[in-house]
Amino acid sequence: MASSRTIKACLFDMDGLLINSEDIYTISLTKVLETYGKPPLTWDLKIKLQGRPGPSASKLVIEHYDLPLTPEELFAKTTAVQMDLWPTVKFLPGALELLQYLDTKKIPFALATSSHKLNYDRKTGHLQHGFDLFRHHIVTGDDSRIPPGKGKPFPDIWFAALESLNKERKQHGQDTIDITECLVFEDGVPGVEAGKASGAYVIWVPDERALKVLAGKEKEIIGENNEHGIILKSLEAFDKTMLGS
């Protein structure tokens, strides 16, 4: 359990956790599906897409809806719809406040998002008052530090984010942080699985619509007795005493 751990750093997902960009993905994909006479994206598939790298997510959608497209073609079509919507993205409740708190308390934190660099820039360009706090500790889905095919649910992206923090700590003569001393903040099932596989303690903030689809399976995913993580309704509910400050 987290109470038995010393927490020294926090690692964050982005889409659906810090910002409401998951809603944009749903809107844009549904619009593309309409052009092929397909029904809207529903949460039984959505929960499988959250946190996955773009090509992997596109492949699942194509197979599910039997679309006559390649992953690259689907990605291009949804991207075109998203371009006008990214500037409307906002921080989710408690997200900016938590980042500011960590920065004030000098608790190390990093970002690990499956979004590729170009999409990351599009989503966050108008939100730099929050994302600037990550400084250079940002790992995107197309980062060379993540081996090919090792996006979430594999834990590699979390290790890369922590290594970014540790590299800086070494330069300043500070002790390195172990992954078991980290909190991983996630909203999607693949990211939660990746966090658990890494050995970190997971703070899971699932969308309430995802919980309806999971219908109790979330307890099985996160693990019994809060051994591997806890489930919160929002980042506003996060107990900062877990950070020992």
Side-chain angles (χ1 to χ4, degrees):
M1 294 179 65
S3 59
S4 63
R5 302 186 185 211
T6 299
I7 301 301
K8 297 182 179 180
C10 296
L11 309 176
F12 290 90
D13 175 50
M14 181 177 72
D15 296 300
L17 176 83
L18 297 178
I19 56 177
N20 67 338
S21 46
E22 283 291 354
D23 293 337
I24 304 302
Y25 279 120
T26 300
I27 292 169
S28 60
L29 182 52
T30 294
K31 286 187 176 182
V32 172
L33 289 172
E34 286 176 354
T35 65
Y36 290 92
K38 305 295 184 179
L41 175 65
T42 53
W43 272 90
D44 58 336
L45 177 60
K46 175 80 173 177
I47 59 175
K48 299 176 183 178
L49 305 178
Q50 286 181 298
R52 290 185 182 274
S56 174
S58 294
K59 187 172 184 292
L60 282 177
V61 171
I62 290 167
E63 292 173 353
H64 183 86
Y65 287 100
D66 191 25
L67 294 173
L69 299 169
T70 65
E72 293 76 17
E73 289 170 338
L74 177 59
F75 184 76
K77 288 179 179 294
T78 55
T79 296
V81 178
Q82 292 159 6
M83 290 300 293
D84 292 333
L85 300 175
W86 290 138
T88 68
V89 168
K90 299 177 181 179
F91 279 108
L92 286 165
L96 179 58
E97 292 79 6
L98 178 54
L99 297 181
Q100 292 170 333
Y101 176 85
L102 295 173
D103 185 59
T104 299
K105 294 294 183 178
K106 300 190 182 306
I107 298 171
F109 59 103
L111 186 72
T113 174
S114 295
S115 292
H116 61 71
K117 181 62 167 60
L118 182 58
N119 252 7
Y120 166 80
D121 291 338
R122 289 167 175 165
K123 296 171 187 176
T124 65
H126 62 296
L127 299 173
Q128 287 306 298
H129 57 292
F131 284 94
D132 274 350
L133 299 176
F134 285 102
R135 298 182 292 122
H136 59 280
H137 301 302
I138 296 170
V139 180
T140 55
D142 54 349
D143 195 295
S144 61
R145 290 170 288 185
I146 305 172
K150 290 292 186 177
K152 299 172 186 176
F154 294 98
D156 299 70
I157 194 169
W158 298 120
F159 292 134
L162 177 57
E163 178 54 31
S164 178
L165 294 175
N166 279 332
K167 183 178 179 180
E168 183 176 78
R169 291 178 70 82
K170 292 175 185 176
Q171 293 171 348
H172 290 88
Q174 297 172 302
D175 292 338
T176 57
I177 298 169
D178 189 78
I179 192 67
T180 60
E181 299 172 311
C182 296
L183 294 180
V184 156
F185 290 80
E186 257 289 354
D187 71 302
V189 173
V192 170
E193 293 173 340
K196 286 176 59 181
S198 76
Y201 194 77
V202 180
I203 308 300
W204 187 11
V205 189
D207 190 291
E208 60 181 15
R209 292 166 292 185
L211 288 178
K212 290 180 180 178
V213 173
L214 290 170
K217 291 182 180 178
E218 67 275 7
K219 296 177 182 177
E220 178 183 328
I221 294 170
I222 199 64
E224 296 295 330
N225 303 315
N226 298 335
E227 182 180 356
H228 301 291
I230 57 174
I231 300 175
L232 301 179
K233 289 186 176 181
S234 79
L235 287 176
E236 288 180 306
F238 175 65
D239 182 4
K240 297 182 181 66
T241 62
M242 293 181 69
L243 302 169
S245 59

